[in-house]
Amino acid sequence: SQTIHQWPATLVQPVGSPLSLECTVEGTSNPNLYWYRQAAGRGLQLLFYSVGIGQISSEVPQNLSASRPQDRQFILSSKKLLLSDSSFYLCACTDPGKDEQFFGPGTRLTVL
Amino acid sequence: AQSVTQLGSHVSVSEGALVLLRCNYSSSVPPYLFWYVQYPNQGLQLLLKYTTGATLVKGINGFEAEFKKSETSFHLTKPSAHMSDAAEYFCAVTLWEGGKLIFGQGTELSVKP
């Protein structure tokens, strides 16, 4: 079964600094990959999804971007963080043609 | 477009009592439905899912849910709550295998001793 790694687990960054969160997946090939954001007390908001290397779809306009340089690597980035970017970020994957989505342990980002 | 509504952002039950977490969905075609559980500062774990076939589905940790098309509901139940069930629960829907999940806002379950 799949294993999803996310790092760092926690991160504190100043406003205006860049961001790079990494997600890697083991135990599968050619997965669909997802980035979600979960603000305190709120549900999950889908930010980006990818069906293959270099293929990224954005769900909401924002100052974040995503890239997929390798089949099982998904990166969430920002050039300049905002206070409102403070959140819990989750990476998830699905095997093509399968219905179950697996989640990573998440990254807690605090922007000060 | 599909959507998910979870009634009640917070539910509190006593240990040993029935757990009932409500989920209603909106979909133009038969959906795939999921319940996930999230413990503090962790990712989500799948509890159970409905895709096709039997409308009563059983999941991990003694939870089950029933798909009721006429009521567009997929409520989660457990006969007897344990302290370890305290967590946040999310209902989700998708229209096809591997499709994007649409999540409800979540229900935080508290279990009192």
Side-chain angles (χ1 to χ4, degrees):
Chain A
S1 64
Q2 301 92 330
T3 301
I4 303 175
H5 301 282
Q6 288 187 245
W7 64 87
T10 60
L11 186 62
V12 180
Q13 290 284 92
V15 169
S17 63
L19 173 74
S20 180
L21 302 182
E22 190 162 345
C23 169
T24 58
V25 182
E26 296 178 349
T28 185
S29 295
N30 195 30
N32 295 335
L33 297 175
Y34 307 84
W35 276 113
Y36 292 89
R37 177 168 60 195
Q38 184 180 24
R42 304 181 68 176
L44 281 78
Q45 179 186 35
L46 180 62
L47 300 175
F48 301 94
Y49 73 94
S50 171
V51 298
I53 296 174
Q55 301 178 61
I56 310 294
S57 295
S58 175
E59 290 295 297
V60 293
Q62 61 215 316
N63 70 321
L64 299 171
S65 62
S67 62
R68 187 171 176 174
Q70 301 180 43
D71 180 47
R72 289 172 288 176
Q73 184 184 31
F74 204 24
I75 297 172
L76 183 69
S77 304
S78 174
K79 293 182 179 179
K80 287 186 177 181
L81 283 169
L82 307 173
L83 287 174
S84 58
D85 291 324
S86 294
S87 194
F88 191 53
Y89 290 87
L90 289 160
C91 179
C93 78
T94 307
D95 281 339
K98 299 290 182 64
D99 52 50
E100 183 172 345
Q101 202 162 116
F102 295 90
F103 284 80
T107 294
R108 172 76 59 191
L109 172 66
T110 302
V111 182
L112 301 175
Chain B
Q2 65 270 37
S3 65
V4 177
T5 302
Q6 291 184 239
L7 298 177
S9 58
H10 292 89
V11 171
S12 182
V13 301
S14 298
E15 193 172 17
L18 170 72
V19 176
L20 171 60
L21 304 182
R22 300 178 186 273
C23 172
N24 287 89
Y25 68 91
S26 172
S27 174
S28 57
V29 298
Y32 295 80
L33 294 160
F34 304 81
W35 275 101
Y36 283 85
V37 60
Q38 184 183 30
Y39 298 100
N41 294 310
Q42 296 185 25
L44 277 68
Q45 179 183 11
L46 182 69
L47 274 178
L48 48 80
K49 63 182 178 183
Y50 169 78
T51 53
T52 58
T55 56
L56 179 63
V57 293
K58 296 184 184 298
I60 62 172
N61 302 337
F63 284 93
E64 61 182 36
E66 186 171 11
F67 170 58
K68 292 187 176 180
K69 184 178 178 180
S70 61
E71 299 177 8
T72 61
S73 69
F74 190 56
H75 301 331
L76 181 71
T77 61
K78 182 174 180 178
S80 177
H82 294 165
M83 297 297 292
S84 60
D85 294 327
E88 186 141 23
Y89 293 80
F90 291 94
C91 182
V93 62
T94 186
L95 295 184
W96 63 85
E97 290 179 340
K100 294 179 289 182
L101 287 177
I102 305 299
F103 284 88
Q105 287 299 98
T107 297
E108 183 177 354
L109 175 66
S110 300
V111 181
K112 299 174 292 185

PDB file of all heavy atoms in Angstrom, chain A residues 52-81:
ATOM      1  N   GLY A  52      -0.126  13.641 -13.589  1.00  0.00           N
ATOM      2  CA  GLY A  52       1.128  13.163 -14.159  1.00  0.00           C
ATOM      3  C   GLY A  52       2.228  14.199 -14.014  1.00  0.00           C
ATOM      4  O   GLY A  52       1.981  15.353 -13.627  1.00  0.00           O
ATOM      5  N   ILE A  53       3.447  13.795 -14.345  1.00  0.00           N
ATOM      6  CA  ILE A  53       4.596  14.695 -14.253  1.00  0.00           C
ATOM      7  C   ILE A  53       4.336  15.963 -15.055  1.00  0.00           C
ATOM      8  O   ILE A  53       3.946  15.910 -16.228  1.00  0.00           O
ATOM      9  CB  ILE A  53       5.876  14.004 -14.762  1.00  0.00           C
ATOM     10  CG1 ILE A  53       6.224  12.823 -13.862  1.00  0.00           C
ATOM     11  CG2 ILE A  53       7.040  14.997 -14.805  1.00  0.00           C
ATOM     12  CD1 ILE A  53       7.395  11.997 -14.378  1.00  0.00           C
ATOM     13  N   GLY A  54       4.534  17.100 -14.404  1.00  0.00           N
ATOM     14  CA  GLY A  54       4.373  18.383 -15.071  1.00  0.00           C
ATOM     15  C   GLY A  54       2.944  18.810 -15.323  1.00  0.00           C
ATOM     16  O   GLY A  54       2.711  19.889 -15.878  1.00  0.00           O
ATOM     17  N   GLN A  55       1.983  17.998 -14.923  1.00  0.00           N
ATOM     18  CA  GLN A  55       0.563  18.324 -15.148  1.00  0.00           C
ATOM     19  C   GLN A  55      -0.062  18.760 -13.833  1.00  0.00           C
ATOM     20  O   GLN A  55      -0.236  17.948 -12.928  1.00  0.00           O
ATOM     21  CB  GLN A  55      -0.187  17.118 -15.701  1.00  0.00           C
ATOM     22  CG  GLN A  55       0.367  16.595 -17.010  1.00  0.00           C
ATOM     23  CD  GLN A  55      -0.396  15.372 -17.488  1.00  0.00           C
ATOM     24  OE1 GLN A  55      -1.593  15.432 -17.748  1.00  0.00           O
ATOM     25  NE2 GLN A  55       0.290  14.252 -17.595  1.00  0.00           N
ATOM     26  N   ILE A  56      -0.373  20.035 -13.735  1.00  0.00           N
ATOM     27  CA  ILE A  56      -0.905  20.613 -12.517  1.00  0.00           C
ATOM     28  C   ILE A  56      -2.202  21.351 -12.832  1.00  0.00           C
ATOM     29  O   ILE A  56      -2.246  22.139 -13.782  1.00  0.00           O
ATOM     30  CB  ILE A  56       0.074  21.623 -11.877  1.00  0.00           C
ATOM     31  CG1 ILE A  56       1.472  21.013 -11.738  1.00  0.00           C
ATOM     32  CG2 ILE A  56      -0.469  22.108 -10.539  1.00  0.00           C
ATOM     33  CD1 ILE A  56       1.561  19.857 -10.776  1.00  0.00           C
ATOM     34  N   SER A  57      -3.216  21.099 -12.018  1.00  0.00           N
ATOM     35  CA  SER A  57      -4.466  21.853 -12.123  1.00  0.00           C
ATOM     36  C   SER A  57      -4.676  22.602 -10.825  1.00  0.00           C
ATOM     37  O   SER A  57      -4.527  22.033  -9.746  1.00  0.00           O
ATOM     38  CB  SER A  57      -5.649  20.924 -12.383  1.00  0.00           C
ATOM     39  OG  SER A  57      -5.527  20.299 -13.630  1.00  0.00           O
ATOM     40  N   SER A  58      -5.016  23.874 -10.946  1.00  0.00           N
ATOM     41  CA  SER A  58      -5.236  24.717  -9.782  1.00  0.00           C
ATOM     42  C   SER A  58      -6.726  24.868  -9.537  1.00  0.00           C
ATOM     43  O   SER A  58      -7.489  25.101 -10.473  1.00  0.00           O
ATOM     44  CB  SER A  58      -4.602  26.088 -10.001  1.00  0.00           C
ATOM     45  OG  SER A  58      -4.913  26.959  -8.923  1.00  0.00           O
ATOM     46  N   GLU A  59      -7.103  24.718  -8.301  1.00  0.00           N
ATOM     47  CA  GLU A  59      -8.522  24.803  -7.951  1.00  0.00           C
ATOM     48  C   GLU A  59      -8.943  26.185  -7.493  1.00  0.00           C
ATOM     49  O   GLU A  59     -10.099  26.566  -7.656  1.00  0.00           O
ATOM     50  CB  GLU A  59      -8.847  23.788  -6.853  1.00  0.00           C
ATOM     51  CG  GLU A  59      -8.795  22.352  -7.325  1.00  0.00           C
ATOM     52  CD  GLU A  59      -9.857  22.051  -8.358  1.00  0.00           C
ATOM     53  OE1 GLU A  59     -11.052  22.149  -8.030  1.00  0.00           O
ATOM     54  OE2 GLU A  59      -9.496  21.724  -9.516  1.00  0.00           O
ATOM     55  N   VAL A  60      -8.048  26.916  -6.855  1.00  0.00           N
ATOM     56  CA  VAL A  60      -8.409  28.235  -6.325  1.00  0.00           C
ATOM     57  C   VAL A  60      -7.273  29.209  -6.598  1.00  0.00           C
ATOM     58  O   VAL A  60      -6.117  28.853  -6.522  1.00  0.00           O
ATOM     59  CB  VAL A  60      -8.712  28.180  -4.814  1.00  0.00           C
ATOM     60  CG1 VAL A  60      -9.962  27.376  -4.543  1.00  0.00           C
ATOM     61  CG2 VAL A  60      -7.541  27.600  -4.042  1.00  0.00           C
ATOM     62  N   PRO A  61      -7.623  30.448  -6.918  1.00  0.00           N
ATOM     63  CA  PRO A  61      -6.575  31.452  -7.122  1.00  0.00           C
ATOM     64  C   PRO A  61      -5.913  31.818  -5.803  1.00  0.00           C
ATOM     65  O   PRO A  61      -6.582  31.946  -4.793  1.00  0.00           O
ATOM     66  CB  PRO A  61      -7.344  32.645  -7.702  1.00  0.00           C
ATOM     67  CG  PRO A  61      -8.741  32.470  -7.227  1.00  0.00           C
ATOM     68  CD  PRO A  61      -8.965  30.989  -7.136  1.00  0.00           C
ATOM     69  N   GLN A  62      -4.612  31.941  -5.810  1.00  0.00           N
ATOM     70  CA  GLN A  62      -3.901  32.247  -4.580  1.00  0.00           C
ATOM     71  C   GLN A  62      -2.439  32.523  -4.932  1.00  0.00           C
ATOM     72  O   GLN A  62      -2.056  32.437  -6.085  1.00  0.00           O
ATOM     73  CB  GLN A  62      -3.983  31.045  -3.646  1.00  0.00           C
ATOM     74  CG  GLN A  62      -3.350  29.794  -4.248  1.00  0.00           C
ATOM     75  CD  GLN A  62      -4.087  28.556  -3.831  1.00  0.00           C
ATOM     76  OE1 GLN A  62      -4.444  28.408  -2.667  1.00  0.00           O
ATOM     77  NE2 GLN A  62      -4.356  27.684  -4.767  1.00  0.00           N
ATOM     78  N   ASN A  63      -1.654  32.781  -3.900  1.00  0.00           N
ATOM     79  CA  ASN A  63      -0.230  33.026  -4.156  1.00  0.00           C
ATOM     80  C   ASN A  63       0.599  31.772  -3.992  1.00  0.00           C
ATOM     81  O   ASN A  63       1.801  31.837  -3.804  1.00  0.00           O
ATOM     82  CB  ASN A  63       0.277  34.130  -3.216  1.00  0.00           C
ATOM     83  CG  ASN A  63       0.339  33.640  -1.778  1.00  0.00           C
ATOM     84  OD1 ASN A  63      -0.536  32.918  -1.335  1.00  0.00           O
ATOM     85  ND2 ASN A  63       1.382  34.010  -1.063  1.00  0.00           N
ATOM     86  N   LEU A  64      -0.040  30.618  -4.054  1.00  0.00           N
ATOM     87  CA  LEU A  64       0.676  29.353  -3.981  1.00  0.00           C
ATOM     88  C   LEU A  64       0.771  28.734  -5.362  1.00  0.00           C
ATOM     89  O   LEU A  64      -0.056  29.010  -6.238  1.00  0.00           O
ATOM     90  CB  LEU A  64      -0.055  28.376  -3.046  1.00  0.00           C
ATOM     91  CG  LEU A  64      -0.200  28.813  -1.587  1.00  0.00           C
ATOM     92  CD1 LEU A  64      -1.135  27.860  -0.850  1.00  0.00           C
ATOM     93  CD2 LEU A  64       1.148  28.882  -0.908  1.00  0.00           C
ATOM     94  N   SER A  65       1.767  27.879  -5.552  1.00  0.00           N
ATOM     95  CA  SER A  65       1.905  27.133  -6.802  1.00  0.00           C
ATOM     96  C   SER A  65       2.345  25.721  -6.470  1.00  0.00           C
ATOM     97  O   SER A  65       2.769  25.433  -5.344  1.00  0.00           O
ATOM     98  CB  SER A  65       2.926  27.801  -7.726  1.00  0.00           C
ATOM     99  OG  SER A  65       4.205  27.828  -7.116  1.00  0.00           O
ATOM    100  N   ALA A  66       2.203  24.830  -7.432  1.00  0.00           N
ATOM    101  CA  ALA A  66       2.593  23.441  -7.225  1.00  0.00           C
ATOM    102  C   ALA A  66       3.386  22.960  -8.429  1.00  0.00           C
ATOM    103  O   ALA A  66       3.207  23.449  -9.542  1.00  0.00           O
ATOM    104  CB  ALA A  66       1.369  22.560  -6.997  1.00  0.00           C
ATOM    105  N   SER A  67       4.242  21.988  -8.167  1.00  0.00           N
ATOM    106  CA  SER A  67       5.003  21.381  -9.253  1.00  0.00           C
ATOM    107  C   SER A  67       5.142  19.893  -8.991  1.00  0.00           C
ATOM    108  O   SER A  67       5.088  19.440  -7.839  1.00  0.00           O
ATOM    109  CB  SER A  67       6.388  22.037  -9.370  1.00  0.00           C
ATOM    110  OG  SER A  67       7.140  21.847  -8.181  1.00  0.00           O
ATOM    111  N   ARG A  68       5.322  19.154 -10.046  1.00  0.00           N
ATOM    112  CA  ARG A  68       5.508  17.703  -9.955  1.00  0.00           C
ATOM    113  C   ARG A  68       6.701  17.353 -10.843  1.00  0.00           C
ATOM    114  O   ARG A  68       6.533  16.953 -11.996  1.00  0.00           O
ATOM    115  CB  ARG A  68       4.259  16.959 -10.400  1.00  0.00           C
ATOM    116  CG  ARG A  68       4.339  15.450 -10.172  1.00  0.00           C
ATOM    117  CD  ARG A  68       2.999  14.811 -10.428  1.00  0.00           C
ATOM    118  NE  ARG A  68       3.051  13.352 -10.312  1.00  0.00           N
ATOM    119  CZ  ARG A  68       1.987  12.555 -10.376  1.00  0.00           C
ATOM    120  NH1 ARG A  68       0.780  13.091 -10.555  1.00  0.00           N
ATOM    121  NH2 ARG A  68       2.125  11.255 -10.266  1.00  0.00           N
ATOM    122  N   PRO A  69       7.891  17.448 -10.289  1.00  0.00           N
ATOM    123  CA  PRO A  69       9.088  17.185 -11.088  1.00  0.00           C
ATOM    124  C   PRO A  69       9.350  15.703 -11.345  1.00  0.00           C
ATOM    125  O   PRO A  69      10.019  15.360 -12.328  1.00  0.00           O
ATOM    126  CB  PRO A  69      10.206  17.795 -10.234  1.00  0.00           C
ATOM    127  CG  PRO A  69       9.677  17.763  -8.843  1.00  0.00           C
ATOM    128  CD  PRO A  69       8.212  17.954  -8.959  1.00  0.00           C
ATOM    129  N   GLN A  70       8.836  14.846 -10.487  1.00  0.00           N
ATOM    130  CA  GLN A  70       8.987  13.399 -10.658  1.00  0.00           C
ATOM    131  C   GLN A  70       7.630  12.739 -10.409  1.00  0.00           C
ATOM    132  O   GLN A  70       6.732  13.347  -9.826  1.00  0.00           O
ATOM    133  CB  GLN A  70      10.029  12.838  -9.679  1.00  0.00           C
ATOM    134  CG  GLN A  70      11.418  13.442  -9.824  1.00  0.00           C
ATOM    135  CD  GLN A  70      12.399  12.848  -8.836  1.00  0.00           C
ATOM    136  OE1 GLN A  70      12.425  11.640  -8.626  1.00  0.00           O
ATOM    137  NE2 GLN A  70      13.214  13.701  -8.249  1.00  0.00           N
ATOM    138  N   ASP A  71       7.515  11.497 -10.808  1.00  0.00           N
ATOM    139  CA  ASP A  71       6.230  10.806 -10.743  1.00  0.00           C
ATOM    140  C   ASP A  71       5.638  10.789  -9.345  1.00  0.00           C
ATOM    141  O   ASP A  71       4.425  10.921  -9.161  1.00  0.00           O
ATOM    142  CB  ASP A  71       6.404   9.367 -11.259  1.00  0.00           C
ATOM    143  CG  ASP A  71       5.103   8.586 -11.227  1.00  0.00           C
ATOM    144  OD1 ASP A  71       4.075   9.134 -11.679  1.00  0.00           O
ATOM    145  OD2 ASP A  71       5.104   7.432 -10.755  1.00  0.00           O
ATOM    146  N   ARG A  72       6.514  10.627  -8.343  1.00  0.00           N
ATOM    147  CA  ARG A  72       6.009  10.463  -6.989  1.00  0.00           C
ATOM    148  C   ARG A  72       6.452  11.599  -6.065  1.00  0.00           C
ATOM    149  O   ARG A  72       6.607  11.415  -4.864  1.00  0.00           O
ATOM    150  CB  ARG A  72       6.454   9.108  -6.440  1.00  0.00           C
ATOM    151  CG  ARG A  72       5.737   7.940  -7.112  1.00  0.00           C
ATOM    152  CD  ARG A  72       6.311   6.601  -6.718  1.00  0.00           C
ATOM    153  NE  ARG A  72       7.617   6.385  -7.334  1.00  0.00           N
ATOM    154  CZ  ARG A  72       8.370   5.324  -7.081  1.00  0.00           C
ATOM    155  NH1 ARG A  72       7.964   4.407  -6.230  1.00  0.00           N
ATOM    156  NH2 ARG A  72       9.536   5.189  -7.670  1.00  0.00           N
ATOM    157  N   GLN A  73       6.661  12.772  -6.655  1.00  0.00           N
ATOM    158  CA  GLN A  73       7.058  13.936  -5.878  1.00  0.00           C
ATOM    159  C   GLN A  73       6.167  15.106  -6.239  1.00  0.00           C
ATOM    160  O   GLN A  73       5.970  15.429  -7.416  1.00  0.00           O
ATOM    161  CB  GLN A  73       8.523  14.281  -6.160  1.00  0.00           C
ATOM    162  CG  GLN A  73       9.057  15.435  -5.330  1.00  0.00           C
ATOM    163  CD  GLN A  73      10.485  15.804  -5.720  1.00  0.00           C
ATOM    164  OE1 GLN A  73      10.888  15.658  -6.873  1.00  0.00           O
ATOM    165  NE2 GLN A  73      11.242  16.295  -4.775  1.00  0.00           N
ATOM    166  N   PHE A  74       5.637  15.758  -5.199  1.00  0.00           N
ATOM    167  CA  PHE A  74       4.702  16.862  -5.402  1.00  0.00           C
ATOM    168  C   PHE A  74       5.131  17.980  -4.462  1.00  0.00           C
ATOM    169  O   PHE A  74       5.283  17.761  -3.259  1.00  0.00           O
ATOM    170  CB  PHE A  74       3.283  16.386  -5.094  1.00  0.00           C
ATOM    171  CG  PHE A  74       2.183  17.161  -5.765  1.00  0.00           C
ATOM    172  CD1 PHE A  74       2.378  17.873  -6.937  1.00  0.00           C
ATOM    173  CD2 PHE A  74       0.896  17.153  -5.218  1.00  0.00           C
ATOM    174  CE1 PHE A  74       1.350  18.559  -7.553  1.00  0.00           C
ATOM    175  CE2 PHE A  74      -0.150  17.833  -5.837  1.00  0.00           C
ATOM    176  CZ  PHE A  74       0.080  18.534  -6.998  1.00  0.00           C
ATOM    177  N   ILE A  75       5.338  19.181  -4.995  1.00  0.00           N
ATOM    178  CA  ILE A  75       5.885  20.269  -4.201  1.00  0.00           C
ATOM    179  C   ILE A  75       4.910  21.443  -4.205  1.00  0.00           C
ATOM    180  O   ILE A  75       4.371  21.817  -5.253  1.00  0.00           O
ATOM    181  CB  ILE A  75       7.250  20.714  -4.757  1.00  0.00           C
ATOM    182  CG1 ILE A  75       8.244  19.557  -4.647  1.00  0.00           C
ATOM    183  CG2 ILE A  75       7.772  21.930  -4.007  1.00  0.00           C
ATOM    184  CD1 ILE A  75       9.570  19.807  -5.345  1.00  0.00           C
ATOM    185  N   LEU A  76       4.697  22.014  -3.041  1.00  0.00           N
ATOM    186  CA  LEU A  76       3.869  23.207  -2.885  1.00  0.00           C
ATOM    187  C   LEU A  76       4.788  24.381  -2.571  1.00  0.00           C
ATOM    188  O   LEU A  76       5.618  24.278  -1.663  1.00  0.00           O
ATOM    189  CB  LEU A  76       2.856  23.007  -1.768  1.00  0.00           C
ATOM    190  CG  LEU A  76       1.864  24.135  -1.525  1.00  0.00           C
ATOM    191  CD1 LEU A  76       0.886  24.240  -2.690  1.00  0.00           C
ATOM    192  CD2 LEU A  76       1.092  23.898  -0.224  1.00  0.00           C
ATOM    193  N   SER A  77       4.639  25.474  -3.308  1.00  0.00           N
ATOM    194  CA  SER A  77       5.570  26.590  -3.168  1.00  0.00           C
ATOM    195  C   SER A  77       4.852  27.927  -3.091  1.00  0.00           C
ATOM    196  O   SER A  77       3.687  28.059  -3.499  1.00  0.00           O
ATOM    197  CB  SER A  77       6.524  26.620  -4.372  1.00  0.00           C
ATOM    198  OG  SER A  77       7.202  25.409  -4.525  1.00  0.00           O
ATOM    199  N   SER A  78       5.604  28.892  -2.597  1.00  0.00           N
ATOM    200  CA  SER A  78       5.164  30.278  -2.647  1.00  0.00           C
ATOM    201  C   SER A  78       6.401  31.161  -2.731  1.00  0.00           C
ATOM    202  O   SER A  78       7.423  30.857  -2.121  1.00  0.00           O
ATOM    203  CB  SER A  78       4.341  30.644  -1.415  1.00  0.00           C
ATOM    204  OG  SER A  78       4.027  32.028  -1.417  1.00  0.00           O
ATOM    205  N   LYS A  79       6.293  32.271  -3.449  1.00  0.00           N
ATOM    206  CA  LYS A  79       7.413  33.200  -3.518  1.00  0.00           C
ATOM    207  C   LYS A  79       7.409  34.147  -2.325  1.00  0.00           C
ATOM    208  O   LYS A  79       8.467  34.545  -1.827  1.00  0.00           O
ATOM    209  CB  LYS A  79       7.344  33.996  -4.818  1.00  0.00           C
ATOM    210  CG  LYS A  79       7.569  33.162  -6.059  1.00  0.00           C
ATOM    211  CD  LYS A  79       7.538  34.023  -7.312  1.00  0.00           C
ATOM    212  CE  LYS A  79       7.790  33.168  -8.555  1.00  0.00           C
ATOM    213  NZ  LYS A  79       7.740  33.978  -9.800  1.00  0.00           N
ATOM    214  N   LYS A  80       6.197  34.505  -1.865  1.00  0.00           N
ATOM    215  CA  LYS A  80       6.067  35.424  -0.730  1.00  0.00           C
ATOM    216  C   LYS A  80       4.866  35.024   0.105  1.00  0.00           C
ATOM    217  O   LYS A  80       3.729  35.191  -0.312  1.00  0.00           O
ATOM    218  CB  LYS A  80       5.896  36.873  -1.210  1.00  0.00           C
ATOM    219  CG  LYS A  80       7.139  37.510  -1.780  1.00  0.00           C
ATOM    220  CD  LYS A  80       6.892  38.987  -2.095  1.00  0.00           C
ATOM    221  CE  LYS A  80       8.160  39.666  -2.602  1.00  0.00           C
ATOM    222  NZ  LYS A  80       7.928  41.115  -2.878  1.00  0.00           N
ATOM    223  N   LEU A  81       5.129  34.549   1.312  1.00  0.00           N
ATOM    224  CA  LEU A  81       4.051  34.090   2.167  1.00  0.00           C
ATOM    225  C   LEU A  81       3.239  35.251   2.750  1.00  0.00           C
ATOM    226  O   LEU A  81       3.776  36.322   3.055  1.00  0.00           O
ATOM    227  CB  LEU A  81       4.613  33.261   3.319  1.00  0.00           C
ATOM    228  CG  LEU A  81       5.023  31.826   2.972  1.00  0.00           C
ATOM    229  CD1 LEU A  81       5.805  31.221   4.124  1.00  0.00           C
ATOM    230  CD2 LEU A  81       3.814  30.970   2.641  1.00  0.00           C
TER     231      LEU A  81
END
